[in-house]
């Protein structure tokens, strides 16, 4: 007696998992794409997602370098170095 096992059901499950994962990825990207559109309007040029993330990194580095009042000198120097590196990366890619 010969036994046949069909795996056709797993293929459809795999495609449904892929569609769910792509849906989650698109929902996770939606705030960044909205921010990219905003930056495009402000800068009057097309800004991609990578450039948006670089600009966001520079903004966060600025906040950490300027606003904490009671941090030590070494921590402030690290935050300032982070800010300078982020600005240079923005300059290179924009």
């Amino acid at each position: 007696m010969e036994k046949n096992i069909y795996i056709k059901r797993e293929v459809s499950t795999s495609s449904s998992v892929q569609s769910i994962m792509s849906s989650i990825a698109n929902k996770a990207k939606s705030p960044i794409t909205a921010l990219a559109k905003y930056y495009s309007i402000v800068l009057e040029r097309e800004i991609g997602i990578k450039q948006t993330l670089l600009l966001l990194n520079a903004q966060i580095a600025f906040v950490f370098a300027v606003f904490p009042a009671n941090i030590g000198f070494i921590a402030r120097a690290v935050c300032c170095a982070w800010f300078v590196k982020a600005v240079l990366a923005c300059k290179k890619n924009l």
Side-chain angles (χ1 to χ4, degrees):
M1 188 184 316
E2 184 177 327
K3 293 184 179 181
N4 293 329
I5 299 175
Y6 296 101
I7 308 178
K8 187 173 185 178
R9 191 166 204 179
E10 289 182 19
V11 173
S12 65
T13 309
S14 175
S15 65
S16 67
V17 168
Q18 287 177 345
S19 66
I20 291 171
M21 293 300 284
S22 67
S23 172
I24 291 171
N26 288 336
K27 287 180 183 179
K29 276 196 242 178
S30 66
I32 295 176
T33 55
L35 191 59
K37 289 178 186 177
Y38 172 73
Y39 284 150
S40 295
I41 292 169
V42 170
L43 296 174
E44 298 177 347
R45 58 183 283 189
E46 193 65 31
I47 301 295
I49 291 179
K50 180 181 177 187
Q51 294 167 337
T52 302
L53 292 174
L54 288 170
L55 289 168
L56 193 61
N57 181 33
Q59 289 176 341
I60 293 170
F62 176 78
V63 168
F64 276 95
V66 173
F67 288 123
N70 297 332
I71 62 172
F73 177 74
I74 294 172
R76 186 159 317 262
V78 168
C79 290
C80 287
W82 174 26
F83 177 65
V84 169
K85 183 180 179 207
V87 169
L88 291 175
C90 284
K91 183 179 177 183
K92 180 181 177 184
N93 288 312
L94 287 177

